[in-house]
Amino acid sequence: ETVKKILNDPAVDCISFQEYTPDWANIIPKISSEKYSFSHEDTRIDLYGKAVYSKYPIQNLHVIKYADIPNLAFEIMKSNLIFKIFSTYMTPALEKQSKSLAKSQFENLEKHIKQEKGSMIVMGEFNQVYWSHDIIALRNRTGLLNSRKNVDISTLKMPYDHIFYAPVLECSHFEEINDNLSNHIGCKASFQAKSNKNRNRTQ
């Protein structure tokens, strides 16, 4: 019901699903209605399935693999502004081997981000808190900003999903998405291009 509510939100233009399994592939297309005319699905039985639903054409879509984990890079245009979007899933850094794999994935993502310019949004399941070493290093080297300004420290589980964005944009709204049982299932953010006045102020 929570996902259905999000899909029916008129303010939502693009949704990125992580861990898109056959179960979800049987549900999402049925409840997405005709509002999302454009989509890309990569259904898998493991954690690495992905889907993107958009109200605007999905352009220049590429599948980028980090250690055989597929990640998406694509563009959508709204109000004559091209948004370059990365939808990514990182290996949980639990022990020495997975930490090394996660680090290489972050380095690979960094390389691709540095090749792009303009209105960029990087979102997905990073499997780390936003103050982790890997994420801080990624942001420092790419200049990406964090749409999440703080977290509720009283919660038992810190969010590992994040939305980062290029400095040419400004984040006007950020919200955690929880179901009726207070389980965290995602997050959403609103972005707009900075005005010339704000751009000059940040230079």
Side-chain angles (χ1 to χ4, degrees), residues 31-176:
I31 65 176
S32 62
S33 70
E34 298 178 355
K35 296 179 181 178
Y36 297 87
S37 301
F38 308 94
S39 64
H40 172 83
E41 294 180 301
D42 181 12
T43 307
R44 294 174 55 141
I45 60 173
D46 56 21
L47 300 175
Y48 307 133
K50 290 182 178 299
V52 176
Y53 282 76
S54 173
K55 294 178 180 176
Y56 301 91
I58 297 171
Q59 304 173 342
N60 298 325
L61 186 143
H62 301 284
V63 178
I64 304 170
K65 288 194 174 182
Y66 312 142
D68 292 328
I69 297 176
N71 294 265
L72 303 180
F74 60 96
E75 298 176 354
I76 62 173
M77 178 184 287
K78 180 182 180 182
S79 301
N80 293 321
L81 181 63
I82 295 176
F83 292 88
K84 301 177 180 180
I85 301 174
F86 285 85
S87 174
T88 188
Y89 189 100
M90 295 296 183
T91 296
L94 303 175
E95 30 65 41
K96 185 176 181 179
Q97 183 177 355
S98 60
K99 286 181 179 179
S100 176
L101 179 57
K103 182 180 179 181
S104 67
Q105 290 172 346
F106 273 95
E107 291 172 347
N108 199 335
L109 176 61
E110 175 190 335
K111 179 182 70 175
H112 286 283
I113 290 174
K114 286 182 174 179
Q115 294 173 356
E116 302 290 346
K117 297 184 182 299
S119 303
M120 187 186 325
I121 298 172
V122 181
M123 59 184 175
E125 181 63 51
F126 290 81
N127 280 303
Q128 296 187 29
V129 293
Y130 67 78
W131 57 87
S132 71
H133 178 270
D134 286 334
I135 291 181
I136 290 176
L138 174 72
R139 290 188 52 214
N140 286 341
R141 293 168 185 163
T142 60
L144 291 174
L145 303 175
N146 188 8
S147 56
R148 180 186 278 112
K149 304 305 179 185
N150 52 60
V151 295
D152 181 3
I153 60 174
S154 65
T155 185
L156 296 177
K157 187 176 185 299
M158 294 291 104
Y160 290 162
D161 55 326
H162 309 296
I163 306 175
F164 304 114
Y165 61 99
V168 297
L169 298 172
E170 55 186 3
C171 180
S172 57
H173 177 76
F174 179 86
E175 182 181 337
E176 306 286 1

